[in-house]
C-alpha cells in the first residue's frame, strides 16, 4: 500500500477527543535526522497543540466488489444483541447450575464470547456445554438428549431474534459513521456491493431495511446470512459463497469487518480485508488486515482507492511526542511504519510540521 503522510496542527479547537502534544518536548526533534519545519519554539511551554495525520492508501485496481459484514460494521450492535439474549433468558427463566437467578451475560464476558464464537446458536450451545444445560420454562429439568437441546436453543434464538427486531424497530439505532456514503461511492464507481453476516437472516434483513434503506438493500448484488451456510465465521464458507454468487474470485473482493473472526473468514477466502473496529474489538490482532480504521467516517472510495483523513486521539493510540518522533525517523530511514496497527511498506511524499 502507498501512503501520503502529512503532519500538521489540526485547525479544530482543542478538545478531549484530540491528541494534545506538549511543545516542551520538541527539543527531542533536534536529536533525530528528520527534515521538517517547526514553529513550536515560538510557542509558550504551557500551550498544547493537536497533531493530525492525513493518509491515502491505494488498493488493487482489480477490486470489483466491496463486501460488508453487518453487526459491528454497518451498526455497532454488540450491546443490542447482549440485551436481547438476556431478555430471552429472563423471559424463559433460563437458569444454569441451580442458580436462583436467570442467566445474564455480562458486558466483558459477552465481548469475549462474541469475538470468539460466531452465530447465536453456536454461542448458546458452547455456553451450555461449558456451564451445564439449564432448566427453564421450556424444559423444567435440563434437557439430556440432542433433540431437546436443539429445541431449547431454537426456541431461545427465535425469541431473542424477535426481541432484537423490536430494538431495531424502535428507531434509536443508527448506522456507523461513513457506511452509507462508502456504499454509495463504491456503487457509483460501478463496483458490486454485498452484505455477509453470521446473524439470523430475518434480523439482518430488518437491520438493513431500517439502517441502509430499502433502495440500497434492494440494490445489493449479494446478500447472505448465517442461515445460508452450514459453517459460521471464522470458516470462510459465507465469503466463498458470496464470491461464487458475484461471479468473482476472492482476490477481486475487499471485505469490511470489525473483528478477528471476520478477518480470518475473509482472508481464508482469499479476500483482502479492511477493519473498522469497535470498542469491544479494538485490542484484537489485525495484522492480516490491509487497513485498520476506528470507523469509516473519513474513508473515501475514489477510483479504486481508499483514502483516509484522521486526527489521532490518545484514546486510540496512547502515544506521546517522543514516540511519534521516533516513528517518523523510522519512516524516513526505513520506509516502514512499525506501530502496533500499521505494518505497511510506504512511500513518503511529505513529512512536515507546520
Amino acid at each position: 500500500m502507498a501512503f501520503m503522510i502529512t503532519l500538521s496542527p489540526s485547525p479544530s479547537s482543542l478538545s478531549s477527543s484530540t491528541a494534545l502534544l506538549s511543545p516542551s518536548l520538541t527539543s527531542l526533534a533536534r536529536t533525530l535526522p528528520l527534515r521538517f519545519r517547526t514553529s513550536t519554539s515560538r510557542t509558550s511551554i504551557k500551550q498544547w497543540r493537536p497533531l493530525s495525520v492525513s493518509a491515502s492508501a491505494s488498493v488493487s485496481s482489480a477490486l470489483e466488489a466491496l463486501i460488508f459484514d453487518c453487526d459491528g460494521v454497518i451498526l455497532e450492535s454488540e450491546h443490542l444483541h447482549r440485551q436481547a439474549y438476556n431478555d430471552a433468558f429472563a423471559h424463559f427463566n433460563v437458569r444454569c447450575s441451580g442458580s436462583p437467578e436467570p442467566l445474564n451475560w455480562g458486558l466483558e464476558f459477552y465481548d469475549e464470547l462474541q469475538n470468539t464464537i460466531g452465530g447465536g446458536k453456536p454461542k448458546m450451545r458452547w455456553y451450555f456445554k461449558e456451564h451445564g444445560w439449564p432448566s427453564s420454562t421450556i424444559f423444567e429439568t435440563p434437557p439430556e438428549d440432542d433433540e431437546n437441546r436443539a429445541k431449547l436453543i431454537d426456541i431461545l434464538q427465535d425469541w431473542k431474534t424477535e426481541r432484537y427486531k423490536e430494538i431495531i424497530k424502535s428507531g434509536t439505532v443508527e448506522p456507523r459513521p461513513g457506511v452509507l456514503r462508502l456504499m454509495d461511492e463504491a456503487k457509483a464507481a460501478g463496483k458490486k456491493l454485498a452484505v455477509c453476516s453470521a446473524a439470523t437472516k430475518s434480523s439482518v434483513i430488518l437491520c438493513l431495511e431500517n439502517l441502509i434503506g430499502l433502495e440500497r438493500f434492494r440494490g445489493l448484488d449479494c446478500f447472505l446470512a448465517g442461515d445460508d451456510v452450514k459453517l459460521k465465521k471464522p470458516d470462510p464458507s459465507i465469503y466463498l459463497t458470496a464470491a461464487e454468487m458475484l461471479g468473482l474470485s476472492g482476490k477481486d473482493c475487499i471485505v469490511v469487518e470489525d473483528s478477528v473472526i471476520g478477518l480470518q473468514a475473509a482472508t481464508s477466502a482469499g479476500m483482502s480485508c479492511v477493519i473498522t473496529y469497535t470498542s469491544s474489538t479494538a485490542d484484537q490482532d489485525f495484522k492480516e488486515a490491509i487497513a485498520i480504521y476506528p470507523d469509516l467516517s473519513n474513508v473515501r472510495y475514489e477510483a479504486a482507492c481508499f483514502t483516509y483523513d484522521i486526527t489521532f486521539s490518545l484514546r486510540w493510540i496512547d502515544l506521546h511526542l517522543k514516540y511519534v518522533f521516533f516513528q517518523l525517523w523510522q519512516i524516513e530511514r526505513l520506509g516502514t511504519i512499525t506501530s502496533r496497527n500499521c505494518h505497511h511498506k510506504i512511500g513518503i511524499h511529505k513529512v512536515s510540521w507546520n
Side-chain angles (χ1 to χ4, degrees):
M1 304 178 75
F3 279 70
M4 294 177 292
I5 295 181
T6 301
L7 301 183
S8 61
S10 170
S12 61
S13 60
L14 305 185
S15 70
S16 60
S17 64
T18 303
L20 302 181
L21 305 176
S22 170
S24 65
L25 296 177
T26 55
S27 59
L28 172 66
R30 301 188 184 97
T31 67
L32 298 176
L34 284 174
R35 296 187 298 273
F36 65 98
R37 301 186 308 277
T38 176
S39 59
T40 56
S41 59
R42 300 189 297 271
T43 306
S44 168
I45 195 169
K46 294 182 179 180
Q47 289 181 310
W48 296 70
R49 62 191 293 184
L51 179 69
S52 64
V53 180
S54 299
S56 173
S58 62
V59 298
S60 170
S61 60
L63 171 62
E64 296 296 337
L66 191 57
I67 304 176
F68 290 82
D69 181 27
C70 185
D71 292 326
V73 173
I74 294 177
L75 74 159
E76 194 156 357
S77 57
E78 292 92 344
H79 63 294
L80 305 179
H81 282 289
R82 186 176 71 90
Q83 177 185 338
Y85 278 118
N86 287 336
D87 289 348
F89 298 149
H91 178 79
F92 291 104
N93 196 25
V94 175
R95 290 172 289 123
C96 293
S97 303
S99 172
E101 299 296 330
L103 176 61
N104 187 288
W105 283 342
L107 177 60
E108 291 186 4
F109 172 78
Y110 188 74
D111 279 350
E112 183 176 352
L113 179 66
Q114 65 97 14
N115 287 318
T116 305
I117 301 174
K121 292 181 181 181
K123 284 182 177 67
M124 287 189 285
R125 186 174 296 278
W126 176 88
Y127 185 88
F128 295 148
K129 283 183 177 180
E130 291 292 317
H131 298 274
W133 287 87
S135 61
S136 64
T137 57
I138 302 170
F139 294 104
E140 186 174 346
T141 58
E144 297 182 354
D145 60 89
D146 291 342
E147 182 179 354
N148 283 332
R149 288 175 175 178
K151 181 179 179 181
L152 171 67
I153 289 177
D154 286 344
I155 292 173
L156 290 173
Q157 183 66 33
D158 289 345
W159 198 95
K160 175 264 175 184
T161 298
E162 293 305 312
R163 175 65 183 127
Y164 182 74
K165 290 179 181 179
E166 291 176 3
I167 298 172
I168 296 297
K169 287 178 181 178
S170 67
T172 60
V173 183
E174 296 182 353
R176 292 191 69 192
V179 170
L180 302 186
R181 191 207 62 258
L182 187 57
M183 284 184 168
D184 293 343
E185 290 173 352
K187 199 70 173 177
K191 306 305 177 182
K192 295 183 178 181
L193 279 180
V195 171
C196 294
S197 171
T200 306
K201 193 159 196 169
S202 59
S203 67
V204 181
I205 290 174
L206 183 73
C207 285
L208 296 178
E209 288 178 345
N210 281 269
L211 295 175
I212 72 172
L214 284 175
E215 184 176 352
R216 288 189 187 89
F217 177 49
R218 291 169 180 168
L220 292 175
D221 297 285
C222 174
F223 163 61
L224 292 172
D227 314 55
D228 297 313
V229 291
K230 291 183 178 180
L231 299 175
K232 310 294 185 184
K233 302 173 186 177
D235 186 271
S237 296
I238 196 165
Y239 288 126
L240 292 172
T241 303
E244 183 178 354
M245 292 179 65
L246 293 169
L248 300 171
S249 65
K251 63 181 177 61
D252 296 327
C253 306
I254 282 187
V255 175
V256 183
E257 276 281 2
D258 69 302
S259 70
V260 71
I261 286 181
L263 173 61
Q264 290 169 352
T267 55
S268 295
M271 300 179 181
S272 297
C273 185
V274 170
I275 290 293
T276 170
Y277 57 82
T278 67
S279 58
S280 68
T281 65
D283 293 331
Q284 294 184 6
D285 183 1
F286 296 130
K287 65 177 179 291
E288 298 301 323
I290 63 169
I292 304 165
Y293 306 127
D295 60 47
L296 300 175
S297 57
N298 292 311
V299 178
R300 300 288 189 272
Y301 185 96
E302 299 173 357
C305 177
F306 285 108
T307 63
Y308 184 55
D309 297 317
I310 47 181
T311 297
F312 280 120
S313 166
L314 285 178
R315 292 177 301 174
W316 295 335
I317 59 175
D318 194 27
L319 294 176
H320 52 68
L321 187 57
K322 181 177 179 181
Y323 187 69
V324 172
F325 280 137
F326 175 74
Q327 289 297 310
L328 292 176
W329 175 65
Q330 290 286 84
I331 290 171
E332 183 163 280
R333 186 170 67 90
L334 303 176
T336 305
I337 293 179
T338 59
S339 59
R340 179 172 67 88
N341 281 339
C342 300
H343 307 274
H344 310 297
K345 292 290 181 181
I346 63 177
I348 298 302
H349 297 272
K350 180 182 179 184
V351 178
S352 65
W353 193 1
N354 301 316

